[in-house]
Amino acid sequence: MSMSSIPQHSTSHPPVSASANQAQGTTAAWLWVLLAVGVLSLFGWLGYRALQGPVATGPVSITTADTTSVVSVAGNNDAEPLPNNPMPSYPAAALDAGVEGDVIVRLQIDSNGRVSNAAVVGHDGGVDPALDQAAIHALQQWRFQPAMRDGRAINSVVQVPVEFRSER
């Protein structure tokens, strides 16, 4: 087949001014920016909500001694430790050295009332890794009445201060 047998089509476009091209380009750029900001805002909000994880509302600090339930709305209450949970043992070396202080431990409680994670989040007084370990070891064995929302057991977070005093 020769080149002359292929039909030749020419498309004719009216001339477009440079300022019209620039205006269309600017409009398209702004639309893409607005779309990107909207998408990033949506993903940011969704991602932030997903990363927050379970968070208990209302009071989250409990003590290792007397605890009471806080009921804010019918069917809603925070996790409560069950009776007979083991108390932390005072490490002998820390006791002999006269180390005293409070270890503040954050516990993640699952919907069955078991501790799923424990981490030291603060201290008051002496800081000793043996006190931290003793507190975590005992608190990981604790059981709770799970937090309730709308009549359903849910995951929650509590903070437990553990006092280590020699009482000499």
Side-chain angles (χ1 to χ4, degrees), residues 87-149:
M87 297 307 291
S89 299
Y90 207 127
L95 183 61
D96 292 342
V99 177
E100 293 185 344
D102 298 343
V103 178
I104 302 164
V105 181
R106 177 171 291 148
L107 303 175
Q108 292 180 359
I109 311 301
D110 68 17
S111 61
N112 293 317
R114 296 189 177 275
V115 176
S116 61
N117 190 20
V120 173
V121 294
H123 297 92
D124 187 21
V127 176
D128 185 325
L131 297 181
D132 293 354
Q133 288 303 315
I136 287 177
H137 178 74
L139 295 176
Q140 284 177 328
Q141 299 173 50
W142 278 28
R143 299 297 175 255
F144 288 78
Q145 180 67 40
M148 302 292 283
R149 293 295 177 264

Side-chain angles (χ1 to χ4, degrees), residues 66-88:
D66 183 31
T67 60
T68 58
S69 171
V70 178
V71 177
S72 54
V73 179
N76 294 346
N77 61 324
D78 294 326
E80 289 184 54
L82 295 176
N84 302 321
N85 280 324
M87 297 307 291

